[in-house]
Amino acid sequence: MSAESHPIDPARFAEALKRLPAENLALKVLEIRNAIAHLDYAISELKPFAEGRPPLLNEGETAEPDQECIDAIAEDEAVIARMQSRIEMIRAEVERRGLSWREFQGKPDDEKEEASAATDMTNGDSGGSANGVNGHGAGGEEQHPAWRDGTFQTGTISQLGDEERELLRQLQSQMPPEDDEDPEGGLHL
């Protein structure tokens, strides 16, 4: 973290929450959870280097643990703990207002399991194996939870409304056909 920036004091954060509408509290929870997921992912990527077993070593080779990775993991874990305490502060504010915290937790458990199964199938994960594409581990490694819980997603937009389809049609009509390549082989803007 920069020497010039410091996290907001917990008391000031709690005070600021009192002035936010419930919708903004929900967005703040999502924002913090997203940040935590990214930090968890970063930690899982740094961990092999911190443990002295980078993924590109041949069998039998060893490496020294990387102190910078160890320090980065410790800092990320401290940030995650601070973020989790912020989520607890938001929860306390939500409950103080008499609102249901469950609504701030996302989908109900039944829908979450169905969505997780659908995401796993969409990402080609049919049983915990990974394919080495789009953040999935190579060589049969278990994929990181951020890919399974919907934090990171890949795909295409498939539910376009009439206006979006018309806009897409107009954009495509302005694009030259793909078989009409530039003889100089460049892209001209």
Side-chain angles (χ1 to χ4, degrees):
M1 179 167 44
S2 167
E4 300 157 9
S5 68
H6 299 284
I8 185 172
D9 178 71
R12 287 184 59 205
F13 184 79
E15 185 62 34
L17 293 176
K18 293 177 182 176
R19 294 187 296 266
L20 289 176
E23 297 84 18
N24 289 33
L25 293 176
L27 289 173
K28 185 50 100 174
V29 169
L30 293 173
E31 176 186 321
I32 293 172
R33 285 184 180 151
N34 185 46
I36 289 172
H38 284 281
L39 288 169
D40 281 338
Y41 181 75
I43 289 170
S44 72
E45 292 291 307
L46 291 172
K47 196 166 267 189
F49 297 97
E51 295 172 349
R53 50 178 187 84
L56 298 177
L57 290 178
N58 294 324
E59 279 197 46
E61 286 187 87
T62 60
E64 292 296 314
D66 187 327
Q67 188 59 46
E68 287 185 29
C69 292
I70 294 168
D71 294 343
I73 289 172
E75 184 177 332
D76 287 352
E77 288 172 341
V79 171
I80 288 171
R82 196 168 41 246
M83 289 179 168
Q84 288 172 333
S85 71
R86 299 288 166 97
I87 289 175
E88 287 304 312
M89 286 184 222
I90 295 171
R91 180 180 185 160
E93 176 62 23
V94 166
E95 291 173 347
R96 184 190 70 77
R97 294 182 187 187
L99 301 172
S100 169
W101 176 246
R102 185 178 177 139
E103 294 175 19
F104 285 74
Q105 292 179 303
K107 298 177 184 175
D109 293 338
D110 297 342
E111 290 179 34
K112 194 176 275 190
E113 288 175 16
E114 290 173 14
S116 177
T119 301
D120 288 348
M121 295 309 288
T122 302
N123 289 336
D125 183 22
S126 57
S129 65
N131 63 8
V133 177
N134 292 333
H136 302 257
E141 295 173 7
E142 185 74 21
Q143 66 180 191
H144 188 271
W147 289 99
R148 290 193 303 267
D149 71 4
T151 302
F152 299 133
Q153 295 182 358
T154 60
T156 57
I157 299 172
S158 61
Q159 297 177 351
L160 298 176
D162 292 336
E163 290 179 22
E164 290 89 357
R165 271 184 259 166
E166 177 60 25
L167 180 60
L168 180 61
R169 188 193 61 72
Q170 289 174 5
L171 287 171
Q172 288 174 335
S173 70
Q174 295 176 7
M175 296 172 58
E178 288 184 28
D179 59 319
D180 205 29
E181 293 185 25
D182 181 8
E184 297 176 15
L187 175 65
H188 303 281
L189 301 175

